Amino acid sequence: MDGIKIEIRDLVDIDSLSKEYDISKNELISFHNRNCALHELLPERLPKYINSIYIPKEKYKKWKEKQLPVSRIDVPEASEMLKYGVLITQQSQELNIDYLIDIQRFGDRKVSIFRQKLQVNNNEVDLMVEKIMETAGKALYPIHMSLNKKGKPDRIENAEDIQTRWNEIYRPRIQQYYVGETAEGLITTYDYFYENIENGVGSLQRNVFYPIFFIPLYDSYPDYQKEERLNFYFPSFGEMVYYDTVFSLQRTFSDSGRIVIQVKGDQCYDEISLDEDKGKIELDYQLDKESRNVFSVTGTLSTFYDNQEIKIYIEIYRQEAYL
């Protein structure tokens, strides 16, 4: 069997190499000793670290196929219709929100989004507040957005259409069926939201789906990492929480052939506080190898409020029917 000699720059032990190249430790040592020069023979009792080793060519070829060609992920360019299942769990409120969402991608970094009916705690909405929020939320869809080069929303393209739907269809519908202080308070809240939606994409920040799904994944990753400061809205206490994060691009494709990016970090504060507990962000992204579209997102956001930890769990999966 033909072999390839690889140089090892970092301190890597034989067990790690065996796992990385999918070959047993004994087979790896035996192959190396059959192909190397006399002075390169590995002794019976191996040193913990080695400088070079011979690998079977077929094993090396399979390893090479799993390596990312460059440490950069470009925003998807092809037009494609995608459907995702979304589950957001707010631990402190014992609240599960799930829905399906359709995302139409266009080649010029534009997307069109339509959310289907949502469920609360695995049931259709039935409480008055939930019904008003569900009805008011329908005015937002479809929403057309342009994205920047990192994949973040840059501009809402159909803000006027959204405002028209709210003012002429959904606001009158809510007023027709719901009366009272609670209903009026919610209508006022949505009036403000839709009046300001033309001012920018920041209005979408309070829906955790948007900053999670459209996180700035598409970028260069020097040494397969980059740093970003991110912020997310926690509805349980109505404030933004900021995190200093590290995006880590996995150097190899996953076993299922997908690009893997991990986002981890700690909550940051404007003022130094040694006593405050820090929340964390831990998100795992998988992207399709060819299209670079998001395949799945899983993870948590956490913070502390009134000495209690508050967590938001996120699960987003592309639906198989669209694969």
Side-chain angles (χ1 to χ4, degrees):
M1 185 183 294
D2 293 335
I4 293 177
K5 183 179 182 180
I6 60 170
E7 302 295 328
I8 301 169
R9 296 180 181 179
D10 300 321
L11 293 177
V12 180
D13 60 40
I14 197 74
D15 293 312
S16 297
L17 288 169
S18 171
K19 183 177 180 180
E20 183 175 359
Y21 287 93
D22 190 28
I23 182 173
S24 72
K25 180 178 174 180
N26 289 338
E27 184 181 355
L28 180 58
I29 297 167
S30 176
F31 182 86
H32 171 83
N33 286 341
R34 291 199 306 270
N35 289 273
C36 69
L38 187 62
H39 68 277
E40 296 175 316
L41 285 170
L42 292 175
E44 186 176 342
R45 291 193 175 185
L46 288 171
K48 184 166 185 176
Y49 300 106
I50 53 179
N51 296 320
S52 62
I53 196 167
Y54 283 87
I55 302 287
K57 184 177 287 187
E58 284 302 312
K59 294 291 184 180
Y60 180 81
K61 182 179 178 182
K62 290 180 180 179
W63 172 85
K64 190 71 176 177
E65 289 172 352
K66 291 189 67 175
Q67 306 304 300
L68 266 68
V70 293
S71 61
R72 176 180 178 83
I73 308 298
D74 292 320
V75 71
E77 298 174 351
S79 297
E80 190 170 359
M81 172 62 82
L82 308 162
K83 182 185 286 290
Y84 295 91
V86 180
L87 173 62
I88 298 170
T89 302
Q90 299 178 31
Q91 182 188 48
S92 59
Q93 299 174 304
E94 296 183 352
L95 180 66
N96 294 326
I97 298 174
D98 66 272
Y99 52 87
L100 294 175
I101 196 162
D102 297 311
I103 299 179
Q104 173 71 63
R105 279 195 176 272
F106 301 97
D108 51 358
R109 297 207 309 268
K110 292 185 179 180
V111 295
S112 178
I113 302 169
F114 182 81
R115 192 200 71 195
Q116 299 184 28
K117 181 178 289 189
L118 61 80
Q119 292 189 324
V120 177
N121 294 333
N122 299 318
N123 295 303
E124 290 191 10
V125 295
D126 57 358
L127 299 177
M128 182 189 75
V129 171
E130 294 173 351
K131 287 183 176 180
I132 292 175
M133 293 174 67
E134 163 74 357
T135 302
K138 289 179 179 178
L140 185 62
Y141 301 100
I143 180 171
H144 307 316
M145 299 190 302
S146 57
L147 308 178
N148 66 19
K149 292 182 179 180
K150 291 186 178 183
K152 289 187 65 176
D154 190 46
R155 183 173 180 270
I156 296 173
E157 302 282 340
N158 63 331
E160 290 186 7
D161 292 339
I162 293 170
Q163 289 172 331
T164 299
R165 287 198 293 266
W166 168 245
N167 290 318
E168 298 184 4
I169 301 174
Y170 293 102
R171 191 179 195 277
R173 187 175 297 176
I174 293 172
Q175 289 177 318
Q176 180 181 358
Y177 291 103
Y178 303 100
V179 295
E181 291 184 8
T182 300
E184 287 301 319
L186 286 169
I187 290 172
T188 299
T189 298
Y190 280 101
D191 277 339
Y192 180 82
F193 172 79
Y194 286 118
E195 284 171 5
N196 289 277
I197 198 164
E198 63 185 0
N199 294 333
V201 294
S203 56
L204 302 176
Q205 189 72 19
R206 293 195 173 195
N207 181 338
V208 73
F209 169 80
Y210 289 96
I212 289 288
F213 189 87
F214 294 103
I215 204 168
L217 293 172
Y218 303 100
D219 204 352
S220 294
Y221 290 78
D223 200 26
Y224 293 87
Q225 288 189 335
K226 71 164 188 167
E227 297 180 353
E228 293 272 357
R229 174 164 286 192
L230 306 175
N231 60 291
F232 300 92
Y233 180 76
F234 276 71
S236 57
F237 58 92
E239 292 181 11
M240 287 287 184
V241 175
Y242 292 79
Y243 301 88
D244 285 327
T245 67
V246 175
F247 286 55
S248 299
L249 174 63
Q250 187 171 293
R251 294 171 183 262
T252 59
F253 295 108
S254 69
D255 291 339
S256 53
R258 296 192 175 93
I259 301 166
V260 177
I261 301 172
Q262 292 184 322
V263 180
K264 294 185 178 182
D266 294 323
Q267 184 178 352
C268 56
Y269 299 92
D270 293 333
E271 298 178 359
I272 297 175
S273 175
L274 299 177
D275 298 326
E276 273 190 285
D277 292 315
K278 286 188 175 183
K280 293 184 178 297
I281 177 173
E282 295 184 356
L283 299 171
D284 292 326
Y285 288 80
Q286 292 199 32
L287 314 182
D288 289 333
K289 181 179 180 180
E290 300 300 330
S291 70
R292 303 181 300 282
N293 283 311
V294 171
F295 177 81
S296 68
V297 188
T298 58
T300 60
L301 307 172
S302 70
T303 187
F304 287 83
Y305 188 78
D306 284 344
N307 297 318
Q308 290 188 340
E309 186 177 26
I310 298 172
K311 281 189 174 182
I312 298 177
Y313 296 87
I314 299 101
E315 294 182 34
I316 303 172
Y317 287 97
R318 188 172 173 186
Q319 299 302 287
E320 293 296 330
Y322 277 65
L323 292 180

